[in-house]
Amino acid sequence: MTVEAKKETLGFQTEVKQLLHLMIHSLYSNREIFLRELISNASDAADKLRYEALHNSALLESDPNLEIRVDFDKEAKTVTIADNGIGMNREDVIAHLGTIAKSGTADFLKTLTGDQKKDSQLIGQFGVGFYSAFIVADKVTVETRKADAEEAVRWVSDGSGEFTVEPIDKDKRGTTIILHLKPEAEEFADGWRLRNIIRKYSDHISMPILMRKEEMPGAEEEESDVKDKAPEWETVNTAKALWTRSRSDITDDEYKEFYKHISHDHTDPLKWSHNRVEGKLEYNSLLYIPAKAPFDLYNRDMQKGLKLYVQRVFIMDQADEFLPMYLRFIKGVVDSNDLSLNVSREILQKDPAVDSMKTALTKRVLDMLEKLAKKEPEQYASFWKEFGQVLKEGPAEDYANRERIAKLLRFSSTESQSVEQDQSLEGYVSRMKEGQDKIYYITAETPKAAANSPHLEVFRKKGLEVLLLSDRVDEWLMSHLFEFDGKSFVDIGRGDLDLGKLDSEEEKKAQEEAAKENEDLIKRIKDVLGSDVEDVRVTHRLTDSPACLVVGQNDMGMQMRRIMEAAGQSMPESKPIFEINPEHPLVGRLDKEVDEDRFADLTRVVFDQASLAAGGQLDDPASYVQRLNKLLLEMAV
């Protein structure tokens, strides 16, 4: 035996120690969850073996019937969960049970609130369900042998910060977990209790979960006969893939528990859709909309995609070829009769059948969302708060469904008088004024900045609704959302504002006259600002503010520019257009100023204030403060 193969004591990773501390101190408010997590892991191990055996049947050895066994010993105060799945070798045990490779673990620990119920809902999302064993056990023993390997290994820990690993003999492949129960958890060493938990949480598992058959109370049998008799095992769960069963035979609770099994989410799903498709393609699908967004929703490496089965044989987790990226939050299962059992990710990317299934499954999800928005608006509002920004990626990614996605979008607007994104585009169109043929919007860094933008002034005066956009994805979204219901979108902070029929002939004539009357003032301002602006002109956007900045019609907006620059992208130089309101007293004062130095200071102050109002940052804040203080002192004299 090599030195490496001897018994060894190792320390847990720092994050695991913190996690174990939380587990040991009853992080879960519902302790029976431990059995669901461990059975779920055992099911995954069996699925992995079944898939590997497609390419190497020798892995099944002489034991092709995959199953999970749950047992207990009242006297020893133990609960045992055993499977004959893929198993682990020494390196696997140290890697999977001693460390948490997932980078989000530290983020998970930061998100803990101290509320046991809320915190318990986070555990499964981080792939650390095994450690739930320490909720009920003060010592855990794991004995495991990897399929097609000779040496087995035993892992033991009391959760105090260390674990031991040593080689053992084990006749059969798979993993056995022995929980040495805490005194306050001895209630779980009971057959009736364990059976109820299995039927409650794990009835949907598609392989048999076996327990020893127990004699009915009152049955008389000689004690010697009981000792000599080999235990009889019986299947406790339905042991049939839930998605292959008829919808009428499945209860809502079964659907919910299956969701928790595949998603490791401890909250109930918001909605689900279960369908069987027959025709050119034959497949079953069960798709879920979660109620809460996962912690890594915006992480490029997040686990996404559906569980893929072919003819009820598990093939892979996170098969992301069946739904577009903007629907990456959807959880579920797809089981095809048409794909090959030897299918790989490379084959999935090229198979036309997969493209057809992706189109149909995308339509199915959009159907669910449309029904939710129409029939249960409060539920949809809850969904939008969790996943709205992700859905906004849709119009750019899915051209074929652009109009359908647009109907699902929600925005804040001047109509709602709230920062809540609760207004649909259909609602906006229904409220449009007579003669209005455009949908107006403005983008800003924050909801308040959008709601208080000076660009809104003329729209408020005319009673025109404006969408207020402040999410980081919004400007990118609008660059791909050209029209809705035949109405084009107009950014009111960009280009030369043309309200068309909404401006009367008298208003248009007054605007032209104002531009002519202020030609000298505009020239003076241009001389002061020089290369800092693209142009200076009289505005007809403003009623209360002295000035505003406008982005050129073909230039990148300030919000998108800041995002690109933060990502390290070099942006071409872009200069704003400076628009002044000659009706404002401050601009009138500016026009009458004969001292050119004071005129330059006042012009610069007004320009910088317009930049700040637009959510911009000043290149030289100190000079702005000096000019402003100088003007204030002169006014005070």
Side-chain angles (χ1 to χ4, degrees), residues 44 47-48 50-52 54-55 304-310 313-322 332-335 339-349 354:
D44 289 344
D47 278 341
K48 288 174 184 175
R50 185 186 284 128
Y51 177 63
E52 294 293 333
L54 293 173
H55 311 285
K304 55 185 177 292
L306 306 176
K307 278 184 175 288
L308 173 63
Y309 289 76
V310 173
V313 175
F314 173 76
I315 302 298
M316 69 179 73
D317 277 315
Q318 291 96 50
D320 57 7
E321 292 80 8
F322 293 93
V333 168
V334 58
D335 185 348
L339 299 176
S340 165
L341 287 170
N342 293 317
V343 71
S344 65
R345 291 194 182 275
E346 290 73 22
I347 293 173
L348 285 179
Q349 292 170 359
V354 174

Side-chain angles (χ1 to χ4, degrees), residues 1 10 53 84 90 121 127 145 159 182 204 216 256 274 279 282 308 330 363 395 402 432 436 494 532 543 560 580:
M1 184 179 293
L10 300 169
N84 58 348
R90 186 183 182 89
Q121 296 169 359
R145 178 168 74 79
K182 299 175 181 178
H204 57 267
M216 294 294 291
K256 291 173 184 177
H274 183 190
E282 290 190 6
L308 173 63
I330 295 294
K363 180 180 181 296
R402 186 176 298 184
M432 287 174 63
Q436 182 181 349
R494 182 188 298 275
D532 290 340
T543 58
M560 181 61 74
I580 59 168

Side-chain angles (χ1 to χ4, degrees), residues 606-624:
V606 174
F607 177 75
D608 287 345
Q609 287 179 341
S611 180
L612 291 171
Q617 294 182 337
L618 303 182
D619 292 333
D620 189 359
S623 294
Y624 167 72

Side-chain angles (χ1 to χ4, degrees), residues 361-616:
L361 292 171
T362 299
K363 180 180 181 296
R364 185 73 60 189
V365 174
L366 295 177
D367 284 342
M368 271 198 288
L369 293 174
E370 286 169 354
K371 289 177 183 176
L372 190 66
K374 184 177 181 179
K375 297 180 180 179
E376 301 177 74
E378 290 185 3
Q379 288 272 60
Y380 189 77
S382 174
F383 160 80
W384 183 260
K385 286 181 180 178
E386 298 291 327
F387 301 106
Q389 289 198 51
V390 179
L391 202 60
K392 285 180 178 180
E393 298 172 12
E397 184 181 349
D398 189 356
Y399 183 86
N401 290 302
R402 186 176 298 184
E403 190 77 9
R404 294 188 70 182
I405 299 167
K407 290 181 180 179
L408 294 168
L409 300 178
R410 296 294 181 267
F411 302 93
S412 175
S413 90
T414 52
E415 176 73 18
S416 60
Q417 298 296 318
S418 167
V419 297
E420 294 294 328
Q421 296 181 11
D422 55 6
Q423 301 298 313
S424 68
L425 292 176
E426 287 178 305
Y428 181 102
V429 170
S430 71
R431 295 187 294 269
M432 287 174 63
K433 300 290 184 181
E434 185 178 349
Q436 182 181 349
D437 59 357
K438 305 281 195 304
I439 298 174
Y440 298 107
Y441 71 93
I442 187 168
T443 60
E445 193 71 13
T446 65
K448 283 188 176 180
N452 296 319
S453 171
H455 293 86
L456 296 173
E457 291 174 6
V458 72
F459 291 88
R460 287 201 175 99
K461 179 182 177 181
K462 291 179 176 291
L464 298 172
E465 184 176 357
V466 179
L467 301 178
L468 308 175
L469 313 185
S470 57
D471 287 341
R472 292 176 66 83
V473 70
D474 281 337
E475 193 169 328
W476 182 72
L477 160 69
M478 300 312 292
S479 68
H480 293 88
L481 198 62
F482 307 114
E483 64 174 28
F484 178 80
D485 195 23
K487 313 292 191 299
S488 59
F489 289 91
V490 172
D491 182 349
I492 66 170
R494 182 188 298 275
D496 191 9
L497 183 63
D498 181 6
L499 295 179
K501 296 178 182 178
L502 299 172
D503 270 340
S504 65
E505 290 300 321
E506 291 78 9
E507 287 174 319
K508 291 178 181 178
K509 187 175 180 181
Q511 292 164 14
E512 293 174 1
E513 290 176 353
K516 288 182 180 179
E517 291 173 2
N518 291 277
E519 287 178 350
D520 291 341
L521 175 60
I522 288 172
K523 184 179 182 306
R524 292 176 71 191
I525 293 174
K526 281 183 178 180
D527 291 340
V528 171
L529 297 179
S531 61
D532 290 340
V533 293
E534 181 67 31
D535 195 10
V536 179
R537 65 192 182 201
V538 170
T539 187
H540 55 278
R541 304 169 200 263
L542 304 177
T543 58
D544 302 316
S545 299
C548 67
L549 297 187
V550 177
V551 177
Q553 188 63 46
N554 300 313
D555 290 343
M556 183 178 291
M558 293 182 185
Q559 186 190 48
M560 181 61 74
R561 176 176 288 274
R562 279 192 288 269
I563 292 172
M564 299 297 286
E565 288 174 345
Q569 298 288 329
S570 59
M571 294 288 102
E573 185 180 5
S574 177
K575 300 174 184 178
I577 297 167
F578 186 45
E579 292 191 351
I580 59 168
N581 176 12
E583 300 298 320
H584 195 277
L586 190 56
V587 177
R589 172 72 179 80
L590 187 65
D591 189 24
K592 295 175 183 177
E593 181 58 61
V594 293
D595 186 321
E596 291 302 323
D597 291 336
R598 187 179 294 177
F599 177 86
D601 285 341
L602 188 54
T603 297
R604 283 287 177 184
V605 167
V606 174
F607 177 75
D608 287 345
Q609 287 179 341
S611 180
L612 291 171

